[in-house]
Amino acid sequence: MKIISLVLAFTLAGGVAQAADLAELQEQALANRPVIQRYVVDLAKSRDNEILARSPLYPSLDLAYTATWLDEASLYEDKQNSVASGTISWNIFAGFRDKYKIKSAELLRQAESYRLQGLRQDIKLAVALRYLEIYNRQANLKVAEDSASTLGQLYKDGVNRFEVGLIKKSEMLKFKVDLDNAVIVEKKAHAQLAKSVALLQREIGTDVSLAQLLFNEFSALPELQEQAAYEEDMLNKRSEIKLLEETLGAAAMQVKVARAGYYPRVDLAGIYRQYDNDSLSTTSDDDEIRTQLTLSMNIFDGFANKSQLGAAKLAEQGLRYDLEEAKRDFKVQLRNLFLDYRVNGDNVVVAANSIEQAEENLRVNRLAYAEGVSTESELLDAITNLSRAKFNFVAAKSEGFANYFQIIRSVEGL
C-alpha cells in the first residue's frame, strides 16, 4: 500500500500548481494534441485544392523556343532554323465544368472544416469522460477506504473481545477475511485512480496533478431541455451530419462536371511566332501574330464520359444513403442517452436514500452487536450494504454525467 501511494504521489506531482476545471483541461487538449494540427493541415490542403479548381478561369501564358538542325535544307525550311513563340490561351466555355469544379472544391473545404469541428468536439468529450472517470475513481477509493477503516476497527475490537472470551475465534476470523478483502479492493482503487490520471494526461497532452482537479461540475446533475429540441439541434448542427451534407453537395457538383463532357468546348488563343534561319540567331527573318478561336466537341471517347457520369451519380446516391443512415443512428443514440440519463437521475435519488438507510442500519447493528443481541454476520452485512449503497450512488451519478456530456456533444455544445 505504501509503494502504491508513493507511486501515485510521484505520478500526480507533475504540472503546474494552479487549479484546473473541465473547461481549462479541454482547452489544453485542443492546444496540445498533434491530431488537431493534422486536421488543420488537411483543411489548409483543401483550400489549396479550391485555388487549383479556380485556376482554369484565368488565361494561360506559354513561352517556347525551338531550335532545329536538318541534314539538308528543304523548299519550306532552312537547314538550321529556330522558332520563338508566345501563346496566351483562355477557355471561354467548357460546359460549365470549371464552375461546378469550383463549387465542389468549396463544399469539400467546408466539409473539412466540419471534420475538424467534430474532432474538437470528440476531444472535448474524451477529456470530459476522463475527468469524470477520475472523479468516479476517487469517490470509489473513498468508499473503499471507509469500508477498510470500519472493518479494521471492528477487527481490532473483535481481537480484544476474543482475547477476553466474549466471542469465538471463528467469529474474529470472519472480520479478518472481510478486512483482507476490503484492503484488496482499496489497493485496486488506488491503482485504478492512478491509471485514470495517466489517461487524462494523455488526452490533454500535458501533466496534471490530482490536487489541481476541482470537480466543481459534479455537485448535481444539470437540467436538460426537451428531447425534441436537442434532436432538432443535432440534425442542424452535428458535425458528422454537416460533413456528409457538404460531401453530398460536392458529389452532386461532380455529376455536373461529368455531364459537361457532352458539351462543346470553346477556346481563344493569341499566338506570336518569330522565325529565324539560324538555330542560334537572335535576329528575326519572319514573324506573325495569329488569333485563333477553336470550337471542339468530342463525338466518341470509348464510353469514358458515360462511365464517369454513371460513377458520379452512384457516388452521390451512396452518400445520400450514408446521410440517411447517419441521421437515423444519431436519433436512436440520442433517445437512448435520454433514457439512460433519466434512469440514472432517478437512481441517484434512490441511492442517496439507500445510503441514509444503510448508515442507520449499520448504527443499529453496531449497538445491537455491542449489547450481544446481534451476530457478527449481521454487522458485516450492514457494512457491506452501506458500501454497496455508496458504490451505487457514485456509479449512478457518474453514468448520469457521462450521458449528459454525450448529449451535449450530440448538439456540438461542448
Side-chain angles (χ1 to χ4, degrees):
M1 179 64 70
K2 290 181 179 179
I3 294 175
I4 294 176
S5 299
L6 287 173
V7 171
L8 180 61
F10 281 113
T11 301
L12 306 180
V16 294
Q18 62 185 20
D21 59 13
L22 177 57
E24 292 170 341
L25 294 173
Q26 289 171 329
E27 290 304 316
Q28 287 184 42
L30 295 181
N32 296 333
R33 293 292 297 275
V35 67
I36 291 287
Q37 299 306 315
R38 176 67 179 86
Y39 277 69
V40 169
V41 168
D42 288 342
L43 180 58
K45 186 168 65 174
S46 70
R47 293 193 182 100
D48 288 336
N49 290 335
E50 184 179 350
I51 295 174
L52 181 62
R54 292 182 180 276
S55 61
L57 296 180
Y58 298 94
S60 177
L61 174 61
D62 297 280
L63 298 176
Y65 179 83
T66 303
T68 304
W69 292 268
L70 302 176
D71 58 345
E72 61 181 19
S74 68
L75 180 62
Y76 302 102
E77 191 173 3
D78 296 318
K79 185 176 182 179
Q80 296 184 23
N81 63 83
S82 62
V83 178
S85 65
T87 304
I88 298 178
S89 58
W90 186 33
N91 173 251
I92 297 176
F93 180 75
F96 305 107
R97 176 182 301 170
D98 297 333
K99 172 185 175 181
Y100 298 131
K101 279 186 176 181
I102 292 170
K103 186 61 178 177
S104 176
E106 289 175 350
L107 292 171
L108 289 175
R109 177 182 56 80
Q110 187 62 39
E112 286 297 330
S113 69
Y114 284 124
R115 195 188 305 275
L116 177 59
Q117 176 181 318
L119 176 65
R120 291 177 181 272
Q121 288 289 308
D122 287 339
I123 288 178
K124 284 187 173 183
L125 175 62
V127 172
L129 294 178
R130 292 300 184 192
Y131 182 69
L132 174 62
E133 184 182 80
I134 293 175
Y135 170 78
N136 182 22
R137 299 295 190 191
Q138 193 175 46
N140 284 336
L141 175 59
K142 181 65 169 60
V143 174
E145 289 175 340
D146 290 345
S147 177
S149 176
T150 300
L151 288 169
Q153 294 173 1
L154 289 176
Y155 174 66
K156 290 180 180 179
D157 181 64
V159 171
N160 293 332
R161 292 164 68 88
F162 167 71
E163 290 177 349
V164 296
L166 294 178
I167 62 174
K168 299 177 181 179
K169 185 175 182 179
S170 59
E171 296 175 347
M172 181 196 68
L173 292 178
K174 287 183 180 180
F175 290 118
K176 179 63 169 123
V177 171
D178 277 31
L179 173 60
D180 290 343
N181 180 70
V183 170
I184 291 173
V185 171
E186 184 181 356
K187 288 181 178 179
K188 288 183 177 179
H190 271 284
Q192 292 295 331
L193 179 58
K195 290 192 290 186
S196 296
V197 173
L199 290 171
L200 176 63
Q201 292 174 345
R202 170 65 183 93
E203 289 294 342
I204 65 176
T206 187
D207 292 339
V208 63
S209 168
L210 182 61
Q212 294 175 246
L213 305 181
L214 301 177
F215 302 119
N216 293 333
E217 300 85 353
F218 303 133
S219 56
L221 285 175
E223 295 292 332
L224 292 175
Q225 301 176 22
E226 292 296 325
Q227 179 179 329
Y230 283 96
E231 184 172 305
E232 182 179 358
D233 281 349
M234 179 186 68
L235 295 178
N236 292 329
K237 297 178 181 179
R238 178 122 190 178
S239 53
E240 289 89 342
I241 293 177
K242 301 299 291 183
L243 186 152
L244 283 172
E245 289 175 344
E246 298 298 328
T247 306
L248 175 60
M253 293 299 105
Q254 288 298 321
V255 172
K256 295 181 178 180
V257 170
R259 190 174 287 121
Y262 291 101
Y263 290 88
R265 177 184 177 97
V266 180
D267 294 280
L268 178 65
I271 306 170
Y272 173 75
R273 283 188 176 183
Q274 186 181 80
Y275 179 82
D276 198 300
N277 59 6
D278 190 337
S279 59
L280 300 178
S281 175
T282 58
T283 61
S284 173
D285 291 338
D286 188 19
D287 60 359
E288 70 171 7
I289 297 176
R290 179 177 299 184
T291 302
Q292 291 180 334
L293 182 66
T294 304
L295 173 64
S296 60
M297 184 174 182
N298 175 260
I299 302 301
F300 180 72
D301 62 352
F303 305 106
N305 281 339
K306 180 180 179 181
S307 299
Q308 289 174 357
L309 180 59
K313 287 181 177 179
L314 291 173
E316 180 189 9
Q317 187 178 12
L319 286 170
R320 290 189 186 279
Y321 292 139
D322 290 342
L323 178 59
E324 184 60 30
E325 282 291 315
K327 287 182 177 180
R328 293 182 183 183
D329 287 342
F330 288 136
K331 284 180 181 179
V332 172
Q333 290 174 14
L334 184 63
R335 291 169 190 169
N336 289 342
L337 286 171
F338 264 91
L339 287 173
D340 291 339
Y341 183 79
R342 295 187 183 108
V343 169
N344 287 313
D346 294 339
N347 289 343
V348 167
V349 177
V350 173
N353 293 332
S354 295
I355 290 175
E356 294 180 2
Q357 296 169 2
E359 288 175 340
E360 178 63 17
N361 182 49
L362 177 59
R363 187 186 69 83
V364 171
N365 273 280
R366 273 184 164 176
L367 292 175
Y369 181 76
E371 296 294 330
V373 295
S374 177
T375 65
E376 72 283 348
S377 296
E378 292 173 328
L379 181 57
L380 291 174
D381 287 342
I383 295 173
T384 301
N385 289 336
L386 178 58
S387 297
R388 182 168 59 246
K390 288 181 177 180
F391 278 122
N392 288 340
F393 177 79
V394 172
K397 194 172 183 180
S398 299
E399 291 173 5
F401 271 102
N403 298 145
Y404 171 76
F405 288 138
Q406 290 168 327
I407 290 172
I408 299 304
R409 162 64 184 98
S410 68
V411 295
E412 307 287 311
L414 289 175

